[in-house]
Amino acid sequence: MAVTDAQNPLLGETTCGSLLKKLQEIWDEVGESDEERDKMLLQLEQECLDVYKRKVEQAAKSRAQLLQSLSDAKLELSSLQSALGEKSFAGIPEDTSGTIKEQLAAIAPILKQLWEQKEERIKEFSDVQSQIQKICGEIAGSLSLGDQTGTPAVDESDLSLKKLDEYQSQLQELQKEKSDRLHKVLEFVSTVHDLCAVLGMDFFSTVTEVHPSLNDSTGVQSKSISNDTLARLAKMVLTLKEDKKQRLHRLQELASLLIDLWNLMDTPPEERRLFDHVTCNMSATVDEVTVPGALALDLIEQAEVEVERLDQLKASRMKEIAFKKQTELEEIFARAHIEIDPEAAREKIMALIDSGDIEPAELLADMDNQIAKAKEEALSRKDILDKVEKWMSACEEESWLEDYNRDENRYNASRGAHLNLKRAEKARILVNKIPALVDTLVAKTRAWEEDHGMSFSYDSVPLLAMLEEYAMLRHEREEEKRRLRDQKKHQDQQHTEQEAIFGSRPSPARPVSVGNKKVIGPRTNGGGANGTPNRRLSLNPHQNGSRSIVKDGKRDNNRPVAPLNYVAISKDDAASHVSGGDPVPSTP
């Protein structure tokens, strides 16, 4: 072993050589033997080797730890890249040469950056999954109002953007579903509010029966959107709609009863107006009733109380009401020209009411049934009755036309002559239609009698008998006119022969003074004043054809019911008609 200086004067410090030299000096002074000196030097050399050996072992151990750290860092880097879905990352050295510490120093900042990115990604995943978990709990109904969801477990093995996008897409779908459900809940709540308003019910107590969060005091986003809430809301809406329908039906029934009772008892308008809120929905549909409180229970109860009161009042005025309905029935029969015995009917009503054998409601219902049947019968007779009226009007015009044609002064320029002339033109047109009108009446009357299995009577007189007698009288009248024409023709022939034999001579007929001539003025239909004769069809031996029309329960003796009996015209009147030179109106 080489011996160096005990002290290096250049360095000014203690070295191994200076110490060995100092040791030899001590040995020389002490007188140590060479053997002892060699032993000590070997010992020193062994100790130095041990020290070096320990240092080398420590260095090797440190290198192994660094290599393990580098391997762990590379493995962690790969794991982070895989979890974050980063196949490559900027800043990672591609060249793995260099010392271990240099390689660790190059990887450390990248690992730090990836760890920070991982923490941020975990936070994003946790936030999205928390929202998904919350919405799912709201939809399922497992999450009550004000409850908070726990922190969801994030799968750190897959924190890729693709996986995050999947969660975000799921969250968007759930948010859309939540929005749709919330919109539907609000629609249901609005419908419940409107229905409760119409029905007069407390909205808040009604809607909170479904879920406390549906109260207006809570925010929109805090309302329950669970399947159970939606189902219960839908059921409540159906229940309220059915309740509304039933109440409207009941109210309309009460309104109908009120109107019937008012009409029966002639209730004044000011009393009726007190229940306008009831009768205003008489013909309304369920959807049309939207006024708040229109179907409230107290309103229906009020209407029921009024109906009950009017029913009691109706019982006390039973006779008056029954006679009123009887009058209505008689008017229907009178308009239909059906004769009845009103006195007997009224006596029967009085007897029933006084005996108490029939309930007032049953009596009125029976009379209502009679009125309905009378209206049906009157309706079945209407077409025939309308044509009878036309026939009778035509007969009146025919009578007037006969009077007009017999008037020798009808063409004088007197006041109203032009009006009579126009009327005569219209009357001739109308008279020409009488045969066709009679034929139609006969056909319709026979068809009616076949359908109903009974005779069609007009004020207790069979209509077919009236028509047949009219046809017979018309035929006789035509025969009379034909006979008069033949007589006139024979007289003219005799006058011609006499003139040929004896010559012309003045007519023995006395001239009529102009001042004594009759002037026809404007006349209307009817008898007496309008020139219509009072002659009637003779349908029974005790009365010379005179009948009357029952109208409004009374008889009108002035209006002709059947055609005029033209056969009753005297021969003297016919002769004067012919001698006047007026043309005889032709019959259709």
Side-chain angles (χ1 to χ4, degrees), residues 306-549:
E306 180 64 13
V307 168
E308 184 178 356
R309 184 186 73 83
L310 292 176
D311 275 335
Q312 295 175 356
L313 183 61
K314 179 183 71 174
S316 63
R317 299 175 56 188
M318 193 61 208
K319 290 182 181 180
E320 179 184 347
I321 297 171
F323 285 155
K324 183 178 178 180
K325 286 187 175 291
Q326 178 62 27
T327 301
E328 181 182 357
L329 184 63
E330 292 170 3
E331 290 175 353
I332 295 172
F333 282 132
R335 287 192 295 268
H337 293 276
I338 301 173
E339 285 198 352
I340 60 173
D341 187 355
E343 295 300 329
R346 291 174 182 270
E347 290 177 1
K348 181 179 179 181
I349 292 173
M350 287 287 293
L352 286 173
I353 295 176
D354 293 338
S355 65
D357 294 337
I358 186 171
E359 291 291 333
E362 294 180 6
L363 177 60
L364 293 181
D366 180 66
M367 297 191 71
D368 287 335
N369 189 29
Q370 293 181 37
I371 290 173
K373 291 180 178 179
K375 288 181 178 179
E376 291 179 3
E377 186 174 358
L379 184 62
S380 70
R381 295 165 59 92
K382 184 177 183 303
D383 188 25
I384 296 177
L385 291 176
D386 290 343
K387 286 182 169 49
V388 169
E389 291 295 324
K390 292 181 180 179
W391 171 52
M392 291 182 176
S393 297
C395 290
E396 292 177 0
E397 288 299 301
E398 187 178 28
S399 173
W400 179 89
L401 185 61
E402 289 291 338
D403 290 344
Y404 177 76
N405 288 335
R406 286 195 296 270
D407 184 11
E408 296 178 358
N409 298 326
R410 61 184 179 277
Y411 296 121
N412 289 347
S414 59
R415 184 178 180 182
H418 65 289
L419 298 177
N420 287 329
L421 184 60
K422 288 183 179 180
R423 179 177 174 182
E425 292 175 358
K426 294 181 179 178
R428 290 188 185 97
I429 295 173
L430 188 59
V431 168
N432 290 335
K433 296 180 180 179
I434 290 179
L437 183 59
V438 171
D439 292 341
T440 303
L441 259 176
V442 171
K444 286 185 173 292
T445 304
R446 286 177 178 169
W448 187 93
E449 291 181 350
E450 290 179 1
D451 291 340
H452 293 77
M454 58 185 296
S455 175
F456 188 99
S457 297
Y458 188 93
D459 293 338
S460 298
V461 179
L463 181 59
L464 284 179
M466 294 171 59
L467 295 171
E468 290 172 0
E469 184 170 352
Y470 171 76
M472 180 185 66
L473 294 176
R474 188 177 182 87
H475 177 71
E476 292 177 357
R477 186 182 63 181
E478 295 299 330
E479 291 294 332
E480 181 69 16
K481 287 183 179 181
R482 189 178 298 107
R483 187 187 62 79
L484 292 176
R485 285 196 298 269
D486 293 342
Q487 182 181 354
K488 181 177 180 297
K489 182 177 178 182
H490 180 67
Q491 289 177 356
D492 290 343
Q493 186 177 0
Q494 287 181 349
H495 291 165
T496 302
E497 291 175 356
Q498 289 178 1
E499 288 176 359
I501 297 173
F502 303 105
S504 177
R505 58 182 179 180
S507 172
R510 186 176 61 183
V512 181
S513 173
V514 175
N516 296 329
K517 289 185 177 180
K518 181 181 178 182
V519 179
I520 302 293
R523 289 178 293 181
T524 58
N525 294 334
N530 61 3
T532 304
N534 287 328
R535 293 184 289 269
R536 300 289 185 268
L537 278 171
S538 177
L539 297 180
N540 58 68
H542 304 288
Q543 185 179 358
N544 186 16
S546 60
R547 297 188 298 109
S548 59
I549 297 176

Side-chain angles (χ1 to χ4, degrees), residues 77-95:
L77 180 63
S78 176
S79 176
L80 288 172
Q81 283 183 293
S82 176
L84 296 173
E86 302 287 349
K87 295 182 179 179
S88 61
F89 192 84
I92 298 178
E94 297 180 357
D95 186 8

